[in-house]
Amino acid sequence: MRQVNITPELIRNSRLQDASACIREVLEQAEDDTCISFECADYDLRTRYAYQETCFMTNNDSGVKSIAFYLKNKKNIVIDGAGARFYGVGRIVPFYLSGCENIIIKNFEIDYRRPFTSQGKILAAASDSVTLKIDRTEFPYEIKNGTIRFTGEDYRSDYVLGLLEFEEIEKRPSADVFDYGVDGGLCAREMGDGIVEIIYPFHNQPAVGNILTIKHEKRLVPAIAIDRCEKVQVMGVWIRHAGTMGIVAQLSSDIMVERVGIYPDPRSQRVFSINADATHFVNCTGRITVENSRFESMFDDIINVHGNYLRVERIVDETHIIVEIPHFQQEGFFPVAEGKAISICDQLTMREQGRSMVKEFREINKRFGELILEQPFLFERESRYCVEQPDLYPTVLFRGNRCGRNRARGLLLTSEKEMVIEDNEIDSEGSCIKVNSDMKNWYESGAVSRLVIRNNRLKRHNQVNWGTAIIDVDPGMLQLVEGEAFHGHITIENNDIVLRKTPLFYGYSLRKLELLRNRICLEEGEIPTDPSGFVRAHHTGNVRMEGNTFYVKKDLTGGGSEQT
């Protein structure tokens, strides 16, 4: 491979003396089969001279993005940070890969000089206000006309998305706290240097001594975005902070995430890592592998794998329909292609009604598209439909990861290909594993065919929010059909599971469920006379429970009762 080296000296001597501009020139000139290596140093990635592109990345807010590492239509490229630390300054996307093949990015750290979330220690609290001590050096702010504004180099935000209480030492959301969505300005008063009173109608009075986080950014800035690529490896990368996801991929195949760390820098006082999911894969194919990584203290899920439905907005005739992207954070993302089959599904029951090949597809704008079908389909005018391309799903291997301490759920998994979740430690706030799909909110698709959950250590911290059980299977259909199941076969075996107030399993519309040889620790209460009460399933075909052992927590260190 050709070798290109980037050093601080090269940047100082470059035309604009700017890291983003220098990296752009190197990447534009790089031929295929090139390794771009960095000297181990700190690099500030600024927006001023960065490449800009209008981006439509699913589950994020679309728009013009400033990008530091922009790779388009490249093959066989290696980017080796060699321990470099890339610091975003302002709203910059560190990595955006588009239409690439066989890309390796490795051995570096991503962080932001001014994070998109701020935090303060709670000094006093009431039902309608909280007094915080905020470190203005790391989380600069100003108060104008009774509203707090968050500032920094090339950054300003008057907007607040939400508030969430964290435990300072554990760096995780406080147990059973309320998740506050603000979605606007936040009233505040300056009480002293770095002492701020926040005015807000709290559902539960915050606890003095905890940390209140203030997320003041929409879904604008992921750390690593992968769009329509093949064979991408992300290895030995630490992502300390990002405005949305750590790694997000769409319409891409064969992605490997290995030895990736997304958690707060131990040298920092921050209790949070990134502002949304650690990893997110939408309408990907091939094999998704996430191994030997650590994901903690995020503001959303650990991993989300799904497809996207398009809603039928207008039926012209039996071969001609207008489809709509139903969620604004999926605009510009049409997961259909000419010459490929689509499934036509009833929106009420989410059941597939038929299939047809796509003869023609035309994008009307970033929300609507026009589909011409090869085979006619008898649409009923009074019914509502969604469509999806059923071959846009990956096999998934999620193995050997330590993860949790994050807001919301752990693993969200909906793929029609086999998924294996094994040898992980999952200590999330809500459900450790959630199998969903819906045609009424996010319109995320994927009827699970085979999911194996084995040899994991599972525990949830929040007993109130973000799911019903340790493992939830709850597709969001509006009407269940007797004798028919949306999801397929799930096996839960050889796991160590800690239970408090929630059940082990909750679910419905599932063809087959197996719970085999799990070791179940009860933190509260006594061993049940009927352990089946920990499994709450309805509209489920075959339920098999064998060899599961229940223990009371105090008995784990020696002796005591058990029940199989």
Side-chain angles (χ1 to χ4, degrees), residues 115-276:
F116 303 112
T117 290
S118 297
Q119 68 180 55
K121 189 160 188 173
I122 301 173
L123 303 180
S127 61
D128 59 354
S129 68
V130 63
T131 302
L132 305 177
K133 181 173 180 56
I134 301 176
D135 184 343
R136 301 187 80 146
T137 303
E138 185 164 10
F139 310 109
Y141 68 89
E142 59 187 20
I143 295 177
K144 292 284 184 72
N145 300 321
T147 301
I148 191 166
R149 172 187 296 164
F150 300 95
T151 61
E153 184 180 353
D154 292 332
Y155 184 77
R156 191 180 86 170
S157 176
D158 303 291
Y159 171 83
V160 172
L161 181 64
L163 308 171
L164 189 64
E165 249 180 283
F166 271 68
E167 297 174 8
E168 184 175 22
I169 303 302
E170 292 294 317
K171 295 187 175 182
R172 71 182 305 159
S174 193
D176 299 334
V177 294
F178 201 79
D179 190 8
Y180 297 100
V182 178
D183 194 24
L186 192 62
C187 295
R189 292 189 297 183
E190 190 88 60
M191 308 297 287
D193 186 25
I195 308 298
V196 177
E197 183 183 36
I198 301 295
I199 313 300
Y200 189 80
F202 292 97
H203 185 272
N204 296 322
Q205 184 170 308
V208 172
N210 276 346
I211 302 295
L212 186 69
T213 59
I214 307 171
K215 186 161 60 170
H216 41 80
E217 192 75 359
K218 295 185 178 181
R219 291 192 170 196
L220 299 174
V221 187
I224 299 172
I226 303 168
D227 182 20
R228 296 169 171 84
C229 295
E230 298 180 15
K231 298 179 181 177
V232 177
Q233 297 180 57
V234 182
M235 304 163 54
V237 172
W238 274 256
I239 304 173
R240 301 302 187 186
H241 184 64
T244 58
M245 286 91 177
I247 301 169
V248 55
Q250 64 185 21
L251 293 170
S252 298
S253 65
D254 299 313
I255 299 173
M256 172 175 283
V257 176
E258 186 174 5
R259 293 180 293 106
V260 168
I262 298 178
Y263 55 92
D265 188 337
R267 300 164 293 183
S268 167
Q269 63 176 314
R270 297 180 200 165
V271 297
F272 57 87
S273 58
I274 63 175
N275 275 12

Side-chain angles (χ1 to χ4, degrees), residues 309-326 336 342-347 367-371 373 377 379-381 383-388 439 443:
Y309 289 114
L310 297 173
R311 185 166 58 198
V312 177
E313 190 264 346
R314 182 182 174 193
I315 301 166
V316 179
D317 58 41
E318 294 179 353
T319 59
H320 185 185
I321 57 175
I322 307 299
V323 294
E324 174 189 13
I325 294 172
V336 292
I342 60 166
S343 296
I344 302 167
C345 305
D346 174 61
Q347 189 173 348
R367 182 180 170 190
F368 295 98
E370 193 169 9
L371 274 175
L373 307 178
F377 179 82
F379 294 95
E380 296 182 7
R381 296 286 173 172
S383 297
R384 295 183 179 181
Y385 298 92
C386 289
V387 302
E388 65 161 337
M439 292 184 186
Y443 286 79

Side-chain angles (χ1 to χ4, degrees), residues 290-536:
V290 180
E291 287 189 299
N292 305 319
S293 297
R294 179 180 171 189
F295 308 121
E296 292 180 343
S297 305
M298 303 83 65
F299 280 103
D300 219 332
D301 310 312
I302 294 163
I303 183 174
N304 197 341
V305 181
H306 63 88
N308 277 349
Y309 289 114
L310 297 173
R311 185 166 58 198
V312 177
E313 190 264 346
R314 182 182 174 193
I315 301 166
V316 179
D317 58 41
E318 294 179 353
T319 59
H320 185 185
I321 57 175
I322 307 299
V323 294
E324 174 189 13
I325 294 172
H327 195 283
F328 74 98
Q329 285 177 332
Q330 295 164 356
E331 285 184 354
F333 181 82
F334 290 95
V336 292
E338 293 179 358
K340 298 290 186 178
I342 60 166
S343 296
I344 302 167
C345 305
D346 174 61
Q347 189 173 348
L348 189 64
T349 64
M350 290 175 50
R351 300 300 300 165
E352 182 179 309
Q353 304 297 303
R355 292 193 177 192
S356 181
M357 301 294 290
V358 177
K359 182 178 181 180
E360 294 180 27
F361 172 72
R362 183 177 70 88
E363 184 178 310
I364 297 172
N365 52 37
K366 297 305 178 184
R367 182 180 170 190
F368 295 98
E370 193 169 9
L371 274 175
I372 306 298
L373 307 178
E374 288 276 7
Q375 298 84 22
F377 179 82
L378 185 59
F379 294 95
E380 296 182 7
R381 296 286 173 172
E382 64 276 11
S383 297
R384 295 183 179 181
Y385 298 92
C386 289
V387 302
E388 65 161 337
Q389 188 171 314
D391 62 347
L392 291 179
Y393 291 101
T395 60
V396 177
L397 175 62
F398 190 87
R399 180 171 62 192
N401 303 294
R402 173 185 169 187
C403 41
R405 304 184 178 206
N406 60 298
R407 173 195 169 276
R409 293 68 48 100
L411 283 57
L412 274 67
L413 304 168
T414 50
S415 175
E416 296 188 6
K417 301 290 179 63
E418 183 181 60
M419 297 182 286
V420 176
I421 312 301
E422 65 180 358
D423 297 321
N424 304 286
E425 180 178 336
I426 305 173
D427 182 11
S428 62
E429 290 306 298
S431 298
C432 293
I433 297 171
K434 185 177 179 68
V435 177
N436 192 228
S437 289
D438 78 281
M439 292 184 186
K440 59 184 180 181
N441 185 17
W442 280 94
Y443 286 79
E444 295 180 352
S445 65
V448 166
S449 60
R450 185 75 174 102
L451 170 60
V452 178
I453 303 166
R454 65 189 176 210
N455 302 330
N456 302 284
R457 294 161 300 286
L458 307 177
K459 182 180 180 181
R460 66 176 288 174
H461 188 61
N462 190 305
Q463 307 301 308
V464 178
N465 302 317
W466 304 307
T468 302
I470 292 281
I471 299 170
D472 277 1
V473 177
D474 53 354
M477 67 273 295
L478 298 173
Q479 179 179 307
L480 287 164
V481 178
E482 289 292 339
E484 294 189 17
F486 182 78
H487 290 302
H489 181 188
I490 297 177
T491 299
I492 305 165
E493 62 179 341
N494 296 323
N495 300 284
D496 286 295
I497 302 172
V498 176
L499 287 183
R500 290 179 65 194
K501 298 177 182 178
T502 59
L504 190 160
F505 177 90
Y506 167 77
Y508 56 88
S509 199
L510 177 63
R511 188 177 69 253
K512 184 176 183 179
L513 172 66
E514 294 178 303
L515 290 103
L516 310 174
R517 299 176 298 280
N518 297 286
R519 178 181 168 91
I520 301 160
C521 170
L522 304 177
E523 283 200 333
E524 299 177 1
E526 300 178 350
I527 293 175
T529 56
D530 182 12
S532 64
F534 287 97
V535 176
R536 300 179 184 175

